[in-house]
Amino acid sequence: MEKAYDSIPRSVVWDSFKGRVIMDEISKSIWEIVPSCMLFADDIVLVAKAKEEASTKLEEWRAVLEGRGLRISRTKTKYLRCNFSGIESIGESEVTIEGDVVACMSKFKYLGSVIQSDGKIDRDVTHRIQAGWLKWRAATGVLCDKKFPSRLKGKFYRVAIRSALLYGTEC
């Protein structure tokens, strides 16, 4: 969404800390079963079996959000067509928001994980390994310093490097 948290009155944000979740309140009128819609902060994932269904759900979300003063970001909105069979579909309509065509991606990053349209995980594994190496390089000053005890280095490794390397693998 576009500037989702900038456009919400602060009183609503404070009320949400008292037990209500902002996105739940916004989405109550169009929520379906849990697997077809996932929310995290200001990110929404819609799941549909066909492009027409995805366009319909996007329009429902757009109408509800704009009715509450929020906008779906046209530049950030993308869709991923899962093509596990490898058979290309010909003649299917495009996914649109108010007539604007939504870009189709072969992969995208969501909550730190790389999701691919072919169902493979090689790019996600590569991304995790790179994240681990980045943390390792940033921490070499501590890990290679003889002044730090080995036990402290082990704890530092587990907290900073291993967690970056394994982030999201439980999903």
Side-chain angles (χ1 to χ4, degrees), residues 26 89 147:
I26 292 171
S89 60
K147 296 176 187 172

Side-chain angles (χ1 to χ4, degrees), residues 109-145:
K109 194 172 176 183
Y110 183 69
L111 302 180
S113 294
V114 178
I115 302 166
Q116 296 173 228
S117 62
D118 58 6
K120 294 181 180 175
I121 62 167
D122 55 332
R123 290 184 182 157
D124 191 42
V125 170
T126 301
H127 173 71
R128 286 288 108 224
I129 291 169
Q130 288 172 344
W133 276 116
L134 282 171
K135 291 294 179 188
W136 176 267
R137 284 185 205 107
T140 54
V142 172
L143 295 173
C144 297
D145 192 339

Side-chain angles (χ1 to χ4, degrees), residues 43-135:
D43 289 332
I44 303 168
V45 174
L46 301 175
V47 179
K49 290 185 180 187
K51 290 180 182 180
E52 295 81 14
E53 184 184 352
S55 290
T56 302
K57 286 183 179 188
L58 262 171
E59 280 301 317
E60 289 173 354
W61 272 92
R62 184 198 59 75
V64 170
L65 292 172
E66 287 182 1
R68 289 171 173 78
L70 298 170
R71 283 181 41 90
I72 293 177
S73 172
R74 304 300 199 268
T75 57
K76 289 183 184 178
T77 301
K78 312 277 188 256
Y79 82 92
L80 178 82
R81 180 182 178 274
C82 295
N83 187 14
F84 303 132
S85 65
I87 300 170
E88 288 299 319
S89 60
I90 299 171
E92 277 191 60
S93 63
E94 295 293 330
V95 175
T96 60
I97 303 175
E98 261 190 328
D100 296 332
V101 176
V102 176
C104 181
M105 308 299 288
S106 62
K107 66 178 174 75
F108 73 92
K109 194 172 176 183
Y110 183 69
L111 302 180
S113 294
V114 178
I115 302 166
Q116 296 173 228
S117 62
D118 58 6
K120 294 181 180 175
I121 62 167
D122 55 332
R123 290 184 182 157
D124 191 42
V125 170
T126 301
H127 173 71
R128 286 288 108 224
I129 291 169
Q130 288 172 344
W133 276 116
L134 282 171
K135 291 294 179 188

